[in-house]
Amino acid sequence: SAKYAIIFIAVQYNVTYTTGDNSEQFHFYDYGPKDIATIIFYMLVGINLHAVIQEYILDKINRHLHLSKTKHSKFNESGQLAFFYLFSFIWGASILNAEEFMMNPTSLWEDYPHSRMLFQVKFFYICQIAYWLHALPELYFQKIRKEDIPRQLCYICLYIAHISGAYILNLQHLGLILMVPHYLVELIFHASRLFYFSDENKQKGFTIWALLFVMVRLWTLTLSVLTFGFGLARVENPGFSVADGNFNVLPVRIGCLGAVCLTQAWMMWKFINFQLKKWREHVKNQIPKKKITNTKNKRTKKESNRG
């Protein structure tokens, strides 16, 4: 049983390289079908951690806030995602800092395919895919409202598709550089929403989120066009080979770039609609206040005239 259990727990496909004099060994990892078992195991771990955070942290805070059913559901969603985004941002940033991917953008396409991963890079992707897969059964376990399921299902599937695509197509470096700032923006949004539920006057975080949101969308588009449109198109080893992990052909590059551009355009469209909705609500709230101030001014004028 231990022989089969290790497939679920440990990261598989270890590849060891030694130097010419065998004095130093380098350990890298590839991917393969056994990763499915590892992802399933950590998906179950994610379900348990989700339940622990919900029961021992979020539910206790909810009892003190006395939120409505709608706000209660959004508070739980933001609470879970805030924990995940914070953990993933710190972990991803530490990998970028250790590997210095940010200091050399040409590493995104040089020596492609990057079919050999370091342990922390592979384990990061395993955990990311496992978390977003665990979010699917959580829609049932958390008894999410029917009107919220399509929205959550949409962004969960987008995360699974993009992260799995970067993992399978050996674009792990690009995926990391795009994920870390995106997770930072999402962390700010959900943290701001948590503060908003505790006190509706705390809305400054949404302003910071809005500015960073637009900047990260531009960063994502720029880096994606640079990688797929120029970098990978000019490398010395273009071609398609599943055995070598090389997917550097025009249809794949166009498909990846199109998926990123469409996703960013959809996110910007949702963002603009969200801002317009908030602006309309602000205008509606200002109209009654103006009427009240106008009536008060008229009364004071009448009283002064009588005096």
Side-chain angles (χ1 to χ4, degrees):
S1 59
K3 179 182 177 181
Y4 296 102
I6 200 69
I7 299 176
F8 290 87
I9 300 172
V11 177
Q12 303 297 309
Y13 301 103
N14 182 17
V15 180
T16 303
Y17 294 95
T18 58
T19 57
D21 55 357
N22 295 328
S23 60
E24 190 175 2
Q25 292 184 342
F26 298 92
H27 298 281
F28 294 94
Y29 291 84
D30 202 347
Y31 67 81
K34 292 181 181 178
D35 289 341
I36 297 174
T38 312
I39 290 172
I40 291 173
F41 173 78
Y42 286 102
M43 183 181 73
L44 298 176
V45 172
I47 292 174
N48 286 304
L49 290 176
H50 191 117
V52 170
I53 293 172
Q54 184 66 45
E55 182 176 355
Y56 292 100
I57 299 176
L58 297 180
D59 285 347
K60 290 183 178 180
I61 298 174
N62 269 317
R63 294 190 192 100
H64 292 287
L65 295 178
H66 304 289
L67 300 173
S68 62
K69 288 185 178 179
T70 303
K71 289 184 177 181
H72 179 83
S73 177
K74 291 181 178 180
F75 182 88
N76 289 336
E77 178 188 3
S78 291
Q80 294 286 349
L81 290 174
F83 276 106
F84 169 73
Y85 287 135
L86 177 61
F87 174 76
S88 297
F89 170 74
I90 295 173
W91 189 6
S94 66
I95 295 175
L96 291 179
N97 182 54
E99 302 302 322
E100 297 183 350
F101 292 151
M102 298 288 291
M103 304 303 295
N104 185 20
T106 58
S107 64
L108 296 176
W109 55 82
E110 286 182 348
D111 300 325
Y112 179 87
H114 307 128
S115 56
R116 297 293 181 261
M117 294 173 281
L118 293 172
F119 171 79
Q120 57 183 350
V121 175
K122 172 157 184 173
F123 193 50
F124 178 82
Y125 272 91
I126 291 289
C127 292
Q128 292 295 312
I129 298 171
Y131 177 86
W132 291 112
L133 284 174
H134 113 280
L136 294 174
E138 286 294 344
L139 295 175
Y140 172 76
F141 295 146
Q142 293 291 315
K143 298 179 181 179
I144 304 298
R145 298 186 310 161
K146 290 183 179 180
E147 53 268 29
D148 290 337
I149 289 178
R151 175 183 60 83
Q152 295 191 28
L153 191 61
C154 181
Y155 73 71
I156 290 170
C157 291
L158 283 174
Y159 273 115
I160 294 173
H162 283 73
I163 296 173
S164 301
Y167 183 68
I168 295 171
L169 298 177
N170 290 316
L171 297 168
Q172 298 91 355
H173 298 177
L174 177 64
L176 265 171
I177 293 178
L178 296 183
M179 262 192 287
V180 170
H182 173 75
Y183 280 169
L184 174 61
V185 173
E186 293 299 305
L187 170 63
I188 293 173
F189 172 76
H190 288 285
S192 300
R193 195 156 75 163
L194 292 174
F195 285 118
Y196 174 77
F197 288 143
S198 62
D199 185 359
E200 294 187 356
N201 294 321
K202 297 178 180 179
Q203 299 188 26
K204 292 182 180 179
F206 291 111
T207 304
I208 300 172
W209 163 75
L211 294 173
L212 290 177
F213 183 90
V214 176
M215 293 173 63
V216 170
R217 301 286 74 76
L218 294 174
W219 162 261
T220 302
L221 287 173
T222 302
L223 204 60
S224 298
V225 171
L226 184 65
T227 302
F228 294 114
F230 298 97
L232 289 176
R234 298 179 181 180
V235 295
E236 297 179 355
N237 57 340
F240 183 85
S241 175
V242 177
D244 297 331
N246 192 350
F247 302 94
N248 188 14
V249 291
L250 183 61
V252 174
R253 293 199 303 270
I254 292 177
C256 292
L257 184 58
V260 172
C261 291
L262 288 174
T263 303
Q264 301 307 305
W266 176 77
M267 292 176 69
M268 279 301 300
W269 178 73
K270 298 284 287 185
F271 172 79
I272 293 171
N273 284 337
F274 175 79
Q275 295 298 329
L276 288 174
K277 181 182 177 181
K278 291 294 182 183
W279 178 74
R280 293 190 189 113
E281 290 177 355
H282 177 73
V283 171
K284 288 181 179 179
N285 293 331
Q286 291 297 319
I287 291 174
K289 292 180 180 179
K290 288 182 179 179
K291 290 181 178 179
I292 293 170
T293 54
N294 289 332
T295 53
K296 287 183 179 179
N297 291 331
K298 289 179 181 179
R299 288 178 181 177
T300 53
K301 285 181 180 180
K302 288 181 180 179
E303 291 176 355
S304 60
N305 291 331
R306 289 175 184 176

